[in-house]
Every structure is written in structure tokens, then in C-alpha cells.
Amino acid sequence: MSHHSYVKGENQIIIEGSCPGNRYAQKLNKNDSPQGIQFTAILDLQVSEARGLVRVSEDSKLRVEGSDWAVLLLVSSSSFDGPFTKPIDSKKNPTSDSLSALKSIGNLSYIDLYAHHLDDYQSLFHRVSLQLSKSSKNVSGNASLTRKEHMPFKSDVSLKGKEDDTVSTAERVEAFQTDEDPSLVELLFQYGRYLLISCSRPGTQVANLQGIWNKDLTPPWDGAQHLNINLQMNYWPSLSCNLKECQEPLFEYISSMSISGSKTAKVNYETKGWVAHQVSDLWAKTSPDAGQALWALWPMGGAWLCTHLWEHYTYTMDKDFLRDKAYPLLEGCTSFLLDWMIEGPGGYLETNPSTSPEHMFIAPDGKPASVSYSSTMDMSIIKEVFSAIVSAAKILGRKEDELVQKVLEALPRLLPTKIARDGSIMEWAQDFQDPEVHHRHVSHLFGLFPGHTITVEKTPDLCKAAGNTLYKRGEDGPGWSTMWKAALWARLHNSERAYRMVKHLFVLVDPENEGNYEGGLYSNLFTAHPPFQIDANFGFPAAIAEMLVQSTAEDLYLLPALPRDKWANGCVKGLKARGKLTVNIYWKEGDLREVGLWSNEQNSLKRLHYRGTTVKANLSPGRVYTFNRTLKCIKRQPLPSAASC
């Protein structure tokens, strides 16, 4: 990219530059090139005053001589001013903004800055702890517990072996298929939380395909926001893993897309409301992307994202958020969906045209096709959105609204999920032949996870068909596909299969020959599609959380998919459940020993479920309730201040 650098004063290097004005760089005369985003970075060098000396060389470099210490401060800024301001119209000055940022920390010492960082980061990270170990019956002495009593996460993730030799992270990943080290599962769980804390915070952009860790000027798939699984998976751990603040950029992004999407809905479809298709970008693009209908013509991306708004409420019970942020976006999305559907055979409301993301079928004429009507994923997402707005309207006193009444009329007319001849969930409205049964997407299982229309208790036949679907799809696929399957098996309470998918991710990928792999981990624990995509890093902690705790508004399922033979002993603290509930669980030799629950909500009534036992628990706000292995409440005590998160 076009840039230049220079030394300012005696201790700063400034780089200023601009991005191309076009999506792809073109050979244009200087005067013809449109202006792209401007950027600035400033490196400020501080050294010990008593002995240190900084020299400026002729080639705009700084050289430190004779110093006891040096502190490097790096600040950067760009002229990006939101998705609706063209770069040429931006009034932001990145150099001025960077200098202001540098000035704001200029009087802070290294110790001050480091302490601020620790406080900022650890206030989020330390909300959840996870400890896993194998059965003490299967290991000599207490070796398993001793080994994992090293810190759950540190920047240096090497371990000491028997000969005091260092075991690298790469070696640990390679060994996992043999040793199945539970502490490596702990590490990858916490690593996912670390990455989300580090890339998605209030005021930042939404996490993209690489989070923020993109190394290329033209990254794979443009490093864009893809809305048919990838962006959504990025935020799966934010609620269950106690990082609700990290969702704010997602909600701001959805708000921006609702503005763009209202134009797309009007221009492309002549409908009310707003819509977003599969591929978006920094500019909140909502129109269909250029390309095959196989993946480009899918208008359900915005609707899927809207389910995150309702999920946020179910976990946080934040009525202000529901009223001010979530409900208006749900209204617009619902308006589009009502206009988009048409009446089909049998009086059902259906989507037409429709695709199942990135997957094809064999049409009745024997030729491959991708466009049909009422794909199972379309209908599953619509059911979730309609259910959400009806529930939200009841809470907000708006159930008599005309829009809500239309939804109530439409809900029983939505095409139901069907079971195919082979016993699997039908992916399309017709039982088409599938030319690629091991396809990476499992879109037709949306109703099982992350949706809620397929459940073990209420729809056993569909759950059996969902299991058949997963067997049919197989275990291979990109990292994100592996983690989606892990969460799906967890929802089916199948601990063996959920764990198999967890184990399946632990394959070391050689970045020089990554084309030979499907899924896996690089040596720094980034997850592979390949190439690198960060979504599975976030899908991993979400899937682990589903294996340990599942919830609805009324129910709490404890250790529903715990692989008791692999993680025989363990303790998890700080996971979140719906109803603003915080959950601690301790188990030993595969059996539940103790559960701690607390909520700040007024008199939260929950049904607790564990291995066939169900009890009702009435939880008062501000108190911690402790239950034993039979789910009998054995202790009630005031909530300690440290547990308020």
C-alpha cells in the first residue's frame, strides 16, 4: 500500500499511508485513483534518562545506545468513519488522532500501562475457570491432577516433561490423538475466550474471518464477514462463556446492516423491513454477492444474526436492551420475512427461491442444482425469529401489535421439518438426492443447534433423524464444521460423539502444506479451515460449554454430554445459563458431586436435570445455592461480592 515514514523529534517514527480506493488494486494514473482509507501509526521510544541515548539515523531509523531499559509505545488510527461515510468524505485525521492517543498515555509508566491492561483483560478472563483430568484409577499416583495444576493459561504454554525438557505446543497437539491430554482441552477453551476478549470489545469492529489477525493484503475470502455460519460462530461463546460485553460490536454491526438491508429489501425484493445475504464486509453490505446462486443467493444472513439479539436477552434479562436495541431490529427482520414468504402447496408459507448454504442436490432431471424452495435452514431460522419476536412482544407489552398478530397467524403455517427416506433430516422441501453426503455444512440441523425447535425431550423423532444426519455427514470437514458438529452432538446428549469431534480438531497442520488437511490446528493453536479461519477457535469453547451446561428459560441440564471416561474429574466455574444464571459444577470419577447456582433475577424458578433426575429449584436473588449429587439443596448463603459477574 502507498505509504511513507519519517522520524519526528528524537524518539518517534511515524508511518502514514492509504489503502487502495478500489476493491482490487488497478493500474491507474495518480489523478484517476479514488481515495481509500488513510492510516497512521506512531512508534514512540522511551529510554532510561540516566544512561540511555537515542540516535536518529539518516534512513529514518532510531538506534538505542547504553540504556538499561526501553519502552516502545505503538498507537495507530485510520480515517474510517463508519460504513456510511466514503473515505474521500471522512473528516477524521489519523495522524492527529494517533498523536492525541499517544499524548493521553504519555505520562503513564510501563507499570501503569501494564496494570491497566491486566485489570481490563482479567476482569473478563477470570470470570470462568475450567479444570479437567482423567480418572485417577487409570493413571499412576496423582500424576494427572499434578500435571494440570499448572496455570490454565499463560502466554508460554509449554510444559515440562519427565527429563525436564520443554514440550512445545505443537508437540502437545501432535500427541493428543494418543495421550488425549485434558489440560490441552482446557487451554484451547481458554484460548478461544482470550481471542474474543482481544478482538471484539465495545468500540471495535466486528470480528471477521480472521478475527483481527489477518496477515495478508488480500486475505482468503477478503477476510469478510460471512453470514451463513462464520460470523455467528465467532460469537457463540460470548454468552455461555461469560463474555457478554464482547457482543457489542456485533449488535452495532447488525444495526448498520439493517440500514443497508432496508434498501436491499426495497430494491431487490420490493418488501418492507431489512435483509442481509451471505457475504458482507466492513461497509455493512447486504445485497447478494457476485457469484453462483449456490452461495450468493441466500437472504437469511440477517435473520440468523437476529437470533443473537434474542439470545442475549435470554441470558442477561436486560429489558432495556430488548426494548431499545433488539426489538426494533427484530421488527424489521420479521417484516421482511412476512413479505418474502409465499403460499405454497397445502397452504404452507414457504421461501422461494431458496438454497441450503453452499450445498447442491440432484434435480428430478438428473442434473445438479442448488436453487429450490423452502430449504430446511430457511424455515428453521424463520421459526426462531418468529418465536423470538412473539416472546419479546409479551415481555414488552406489545403482543397486540399488528405485526405480532401476523406472526402468530403465520407460525402454524410454516413448513415443518421433515424426515427423509433414509431416516435423516431432509435438507430441502423435497427429498432430493444428495451428491455430496459428507458436505461441510450442516445447515439443516440449525433447529437443533444453535436453534431450539429440535430438542431431546419434545421432538425425539427429529433428534433421532438429526443423529442419523450427523452419521451420514461424517466427521471430516473444516475446523468450524467440526465444532458445529461437536455442539450438535452435545445437544443430542451424546457425549461419545461430541468428544470424538473435539478430538478430531487436534491435528497439527503444516502451514507449508495446508492443502493436505481438513480442519486442525496450527502450532500457535489458531484453527484451520484451511487456510486460517478463527471461527473454530470460538466454536471450541462454545461446544465445550454445551457439553457441560445446557439451558432454556425454565430448564438447566447439568453435564448433559460429559465424556466421563475422558474427563472423569473436573470443575468449571462461572459458566452462564439462560435466566441470568451463573453455574459452578464439580464432578469426580464421572459423577456430579456439587453444583453452585446464583442469579440476580427476582425468584428464578428452574428445573434442574441430571441423568434422569429432575428437581425444581426456586432461586432468590443475591444468594448462592449449593446442590449435591442428588440435586438436593444443601446450602444457601449470601452472594460474595467477587462473584457478582
Side-chain angles (χ1 to χ4, degrees):
M1 289 186 283
S2 174
H3 69 277
H4 67 282
S5 62
Y6 58 93
V7 173
K8 182 176 183 289
E10 298 179 347
N11 68 328
Q12 289 182 355
I13 298 177
I14 299 180
I15 182 172
E16 298 171 329
S18 61
C19 299
N22 295 294
R23 182 179 175 88
Y24 299 108
Q26 298 178 7
K27 298 277 187 180
L28 296 174
N29 295 326
K30 253 188 177 180
N31 295 334
D32 295 333
S33 180
Q35 180 174 308
I37 295 174
Q38 310 296 299
F39 61 86
T40 297
I42 301 176
L43 181 70
D44 182 272
L45 181 59
Q46 300 175 358
V47 299
S48 54
E49 296 179 2
R51 299 178 56 187
L53 182 66
V54 179
R55 295 189 184 277
V56 181
S57 65
E58 293 181 358
D59 55 351
S60 297
K61 294 180 180 178
L62 301 179
R63 179 183 179 88
V64 180
E65 296 179 354
S67 181
D68 298 308
W69 54 264
V71 176
L72 305 179
L73 301 176
L74 181 67
V75 299
S76 62
S77 185
S78 82
S79 63
F80 179 75
D81 197 17
F84 306 116
T85 301
K86 294 180 180 179
I88 197 170
D89 295 329
S90 175
K91 306 301 181 186
K92 295 186 69 174
N93 184 322
T95 300
S96 176
D97 290 347
S98 295
L99 287 169
S100 296
L102 189 61
K103 185 178 180 181
S104 69
I105 61 172
N107 294 327
L108 298 177
S109 67
Y110 173 82
I111 294 175
D112 292 334
L113 289 169
Y114 187 59
H116 178 274
H117 163 69
L118 288 179
D119 180 63
D120 170 68
Y121 171 78
Q122 293 181 354
S123 64
L124 296 172
F125 183 79
H126 285 321
R127 291 176 179 177
V128 175
S129 65
L130 175 66
Q131 292 183 319
L132 303 171
S133 68
K134 299 177 182 178
S135 172
S136 56
K137 299 175 183 178
N138 299 329
V139 297
S140 58
N142 203 28
S144 175
L145 290 173
T146 302
R147 186 184 186 196
K148 58 167 289 311
E149 280 173 359
H150 72 79
M151 53 287 165
F153 179 82
K154 272 195 175 182
S155 56
D156 178 4
V157 293
S158 298
L159 292 176
K160 295 293 184 179
K162 293 179 181 179
E163 304 296 328
D164 216 27
D165 55 323
T166 300
V167 182
S168 70
T169 306
E171 290 172 311
R172 295 181 69 192
V173 173
E174 280 190 309
F176 190 87
Q177 295 300 318
T178 303
D179 66 22
E180 301 183 59
D181 180 7
S183 68
L184 196 54
V185 175
E186 295 173 18
L187 181 63
L188 197 58
F189 172 87
Q190 294 289 28
Y191 187 52
R193 296 182 66 248
Y194 153 78
L195 291 171
L196 188 59
I197 293 169
S198 301
C199 77
S200 183
R201 302 285 287 277
T204 72
Q205 298 304 313
V206 73
N208 60 40
L209 280 179
Q210 286 82 29
I212 57 173
W213 293 277
N214 163 53
K215 63 181 177 61
D216 302 311
L217 286 178
T218 54
W221 300 288
D222 298 325
Q225 290 78 8
H226 284 227
L227 311 185
N228 66 3
I229 176 59
N230 313 98
L231 180 59
Q232 288 88 346
M233 184 177 284
N234 284 1
Y235 289 90
W236 279 359
S238 56
L239 291 169
S240 59
C241 296
N242 211 336
L243 296 172
K244 67 179 187 295
E245 297 89 341
C246 294
Q247 286 193 118
E248 184 173 307
L250 177 65
F251 299 147
E252 292 306 310
Y253 190 68
I254 297 173
S255 295
S256 295
M257 282 200 296
S258 72
I259 297 172
S260 304
S262 63
K263 298 177 182 177
T264 301
K266 183 178 180 180
V267 171
N268 288 43
Y269 303 115
E270 296 183 354
T271 66
K272 297 187 290 292
W274 68 276
V275 61
H277 291 75
Q278 187 220 330
V279 180
S280 190
D281 56 22
L282 184 69
W283 309 98
K285 168 181 157 58
T286 54
S287 57
D289 207 39
Q292 299 177 42
L294 172 69
W295 51 270
L297 186 68
W298 187 71
M300 293 290 148
W304 185 348
L305 286 173
C306 277
T307 66
H308 285 243
L309 298 164
W310 173 244
E311 289 283 30
H312 183 83
Y313 172 76
T314 64
Y315 273 88
T316 66
M317 309 303 286
D318 185 342
K319 195 170 180 179
D320 290 340
F321 169 85
L322 182 65
R323 180 185 61 248
D324 300 335
K325 174 67 77 172
Y327 198 81
L329 293 168
L330 281 166
E331 276 187 309
C333 175
T334 300
S335 294
F336 168 77
L337 294 174
L338 287 170
D339 281 359
W340 172 237
M341 289 189 296
I342 62 172
E343 185 170 326
Y348 286 113
L349 294 176
E350 301 183 350
T351 57
N352 192 340
S354 173
T355 62
S356 189
E358 303 184 37
H359 197 21
M360 302 191 77
F361 56 87
I362 302 300
D365 62 4
K367 296 179 181 179
S370 62
V371 181
S372 178
Y373 67 94
S374 297
S375 70
T376 300
M377 190 184 213
D378 278 8
M379 304 315 299
S380 298
I381 291 175
I382 293 171
K383 289 170 190 174
E384 293 288 334
V385 173
F386 281 7
S387 175
I389 196 167
V390 169
S391 298
K394 290 179 181 177
I395 294 165
L396 299 175
R398 302 186 59 173
K399 61 182 180 180
E400 301 302 324
D401 286 7
E402 181 182 358
L403 182 69
V404 177
Q405 292 303 309
K406 288 182 178 179
V407 170
L408 290 171
E409 293 172 7
L411 267 168
R413 298 178 61 198
L414 297 179
L415 193 69
T417 301
K418 301 177 183 177
I419 299 176
R421 292 186 299 271
D422 65 2
S424 64
I425 297 289
M426 280 173 53
E427 190 164 356
W428 298 275
Q430 298 182 41
D431 196 1
F432 294 124
Q433 180 185 343
D434 188 342
E436 191 181 355
V437 294
H438 301 311
H439 192 267
R440 60 194 176 275
H441 281 264
V442 282
S443 306
H444 45 321
L445 298 185
F446 177 93
L448 176 61
F449 184 91
H452 307 280
T453 54
I454 299 176
T455 67
V456 171
E457 292 184 338
K458 295 181 180 179
T459 57
D461 290 344
L462 289 178
C463 280
K464 182 180 179 181
N468 292 336
T469 304
L470 286 168
Y471 282 117
K472 181 179 174 181
R473 272 294 198 258
E475 297 181 351
D476 292 335
W480 57 261
S481 177
T482 302
M483 288 301 96
W484 195 354
K485 292 168 185 172
L488 287 162
W489 280 120
R491 278 281 172 93
L492 291 174
H493 298 182
N494 191 320
S495 59
E496 178 191 356
R497 286 286 164 176
Y499 180 78
R500 282 175 66 95
M501 298 315 303
V502 168
K503 183 178 178 180
H504 199 72
L505 188 66
F506 285 90
V507 174
L508 186 65
V509 175
D510 176 6
E512 300 300 321
N513 299 286
E514 60 183 15
N516 297 328
Y517 298 84
E518 267 199 299
L521 299 168
Y522 296 102
S523 61
N524 68 344
L525 296 185
F526 274 162
T527 53
H529 183 287
F532 162 54
Q533 278 185 203
I534 204 166
D535 34 32
N537 280 114
F538 299 132
F540 187 89
I544 299 299
E546 284 291 319
M547 294 169 74
L548 301 178
V549 175
Q550 293 176 24
S551 64
T552 68
E554 299 85 19
D555 297 276
L556 183 67
Y557 299 88
L558 304 168
L559 306 180
L562 173 72
R564 295 195 295 273
D565 57 331
K566 305 298 183 181
W567 307 334
N569 305 308
C571 177
V572 65
K573 297 180 180 180
L575 289 182
K576 287 291 188 177
R578 291 169 179 84
K580 206 174 182 180
L581 198 64
T582 306
V583 183
N584 295 348
I585 308 177
Y586 164 61
W587 67 95
K588 189 172 183 179
E589 296 303 337
D591 289 323
L592 178 70
R593 290 301 175 93
E594 197 169 276
V595 180
L597 304 175
W598 67 90
S599 174
N600 292 328
E601 281 301 292
Q602 292 183 350
N603 296 330
S604 176
L605 182 64
K606 286 283 184 182
R607 289 188 295 265
L608 309 186
H609 302 263
Y610 175 66
R611 293 171 69 174
T613 299
T614 301
V615 301
K616 291 183 178 180
N618 195 350
L619 309 177
S620 299
R623 302 187 72 83
V624 180
Y625 292 78
T626 305
F627 300 83
N628 64 13
R629 69 179 73 182
T630 63
L631 301 185
K632 179 182 178 181
C633 185
I634 58 175
K635 190 186 300 182
R636 300 178 183 86
Q637 60 191 47
L639 180 67
S641 58
S644 60
C645 68

